[in-house]
């Protein structure tokens, strides 16, 4: 049986990083998405650290597509692959844009939910198809082209692919929040802002990743 919340790859100590990497780690601690734990694992390989950090900055925090749509797709992937580390984070930028917590709660049932408009649902169908395939590719692409430009579709597709690969890997690492550079609840979902709240939320029967929700 796997041991929960025990990092399978160690965190690189902050003092062993160069100044540029330390600055990025401090940004992660202060603003999140990503939070510092996953970045401290990637720091074992500076090339991997910067390949991810630079790509994430470009396609998640930058680009032309609505940031809130990207964050919904990010958390959809978290929930569908059961990456708790990523699924318990929220983008401060998406929250500031008006995204509500209830919109995260219904992601796995997005097609039948009235919390998303047709554009949201098309984007989430794209995420679902990238992760799990689609039986109706013609219908999917007709839907996507009705709501997004080709530039937006490329940006969103590359972002979903990046987060799907990363989260599938992060799920295996055994990392959790408040284990590295602790002391800030930046970008954490409501109820997960401290180690104590995180433990209590995970112990609750309504926790989104509880076995009963599988």
């Amino acid at each position: 049986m796997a041991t929960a919340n025990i990092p399978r790859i160690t965190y690189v100590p902050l003092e062993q990083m160069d100044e540029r990497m330390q600055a990025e780690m401090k940004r992660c601690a202060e603003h999140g998405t990503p939070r510092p734990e996953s970045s401290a694992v990637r720091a074992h390989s500076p090339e991997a650290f910067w390949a991810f950090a630079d790509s994430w900055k470009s396609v998640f925090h930058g680009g032309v597509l609505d940031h809130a749509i990207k964050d919904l797709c990010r958390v959809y992937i978290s929930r569908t692959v059961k990456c708790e580390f990523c699924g318990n984070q929220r983008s401060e930028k998406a929250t500031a844009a008006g995204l509500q917590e209830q919109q995260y709660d219904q992601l796995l049932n997005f097609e039948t939910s009235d919390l998303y408009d047709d554009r949201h649902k098309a984007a989430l169908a794209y995420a679902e198809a990238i992760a799990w395939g689609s039986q109706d590719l013609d219908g999917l692409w007709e839907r996507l082209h009705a709501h997004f430009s080709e530039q937006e579709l490329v940006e969103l597709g590359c972002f979903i692919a990046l987060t799907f690969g990363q989260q599938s890997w992060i799920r295996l690492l055994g990392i959790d929040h408040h284990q590295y550079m602790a002391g800030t609840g930046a970008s954490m979902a409501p109820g997960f802002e401290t180690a104590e709240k995180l433990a209590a939320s995970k112990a609750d029967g309504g926790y989104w990743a509880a076995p009963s929700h599988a």
Side-chain angles (χ1 to χ4, degrees):
M1 181 178 294
T3 302
N5 303 329
I6 302 297
R8 303 302 184 135
I9 299 177
T10 58
Y11 299 130
V12 174
L14 191 65
E15 60 271 17
Q16 291 183 14
M17 302 180 193
D18 63 26
E19 289 185 8
R20 180 171 173 243
M21 192 176 285
Q22 286 185 18
E24 171 61 15
M25 293 300 300
K26 290 174 182 176
R27 190 210 63 77
C28 290
E30 292 172 0
H31 299 289
T33 52
R35 293 274 295 177
E37 288 82 4
S38 62
S39 294
V41 171
R42 282 186 288 266
H44 281 285
S45 168
E47 294 81 6
F49 181 98
W50 288 115
F52 177 80
D54 292 342
S55 295
W56 196 254
K57 181 179 178 181
S58 294
V59 298
F60 183 52
H61 293 292
V64 298
L65 183 65
D66 326 25
H67 182 80
I69 283 180
K70 287 187 277 192
D71 204 50
L72 284 175
C73 289
R74 180 188 65 81
V75 179
Y76 170 83
I77 292 294
S78 302
R79 298 207 169 194
T80 196
V81 304
K82 285 287 184 78
C83 178
E84 297 180 63
F85 180 79
C86 301
N88 293 332
Q89 296 179 68
R90 300 290 180 266
S91 166
E92 294 178 343
K93 186 176 178 180
T95 300
L99 205 57
Q100 301 295 311
E101 186 61 23
Q102 294 90 333
Q103 291 176 280
Y104 294 105
D105 292 338
Q106 295 189 27
L107 280 170
L108 294 185
N109 299 305
F110 68 89
E111 292 285 20
T112 58
S113 174
D114 60 4
L115 295 181
Y116 314 107
D117 61 24
D118 289 345
R119 182 175 164 87
H120 289 142
K121 289 182 178 182
L124 290 166
Y126 198 21
E128 181 181 47
I130 290 170
W132 305 115
S134 173
Q135 298 302 310
D136 180 16
L137 284 177
D138 289 340
L140 173 68
W141 283 109
E142 181 178 355
R143 188 178 183 185
L144 290 171
H145 283 297
H147 293 284
F148 300 98
S149 70
E150 291 190 325
Q151 181 179 358
E152 290 173 326
L153 289 172
V154 170
E155 182 181 311
L156 184 57
C158 286
F159 169 69
I160 293 167
L162 176 62
T163 197
F164 178 63
Q166 282 290 310
Q167 293 190 33
S168 297
W169 174 60
I170 288 171
R171 186 186 66 234
L172 304 181
L173 293 178
I175 64 176
D176 211 342
H177 297 286
H178 311 298
Q179 293 182 341
Y180 189 98
M181 298 181 75
T184 172
S187 82
M188 294 301 296
F192 297 87
E193 299 92 343
T194 66
E196 294 75 21
K197 288 183 177 181
L198 181 145
S201 293
K202 285 192 170 189
D204 188 282
Y207 177 51
W208 68 269
S212 60
H213 286 223

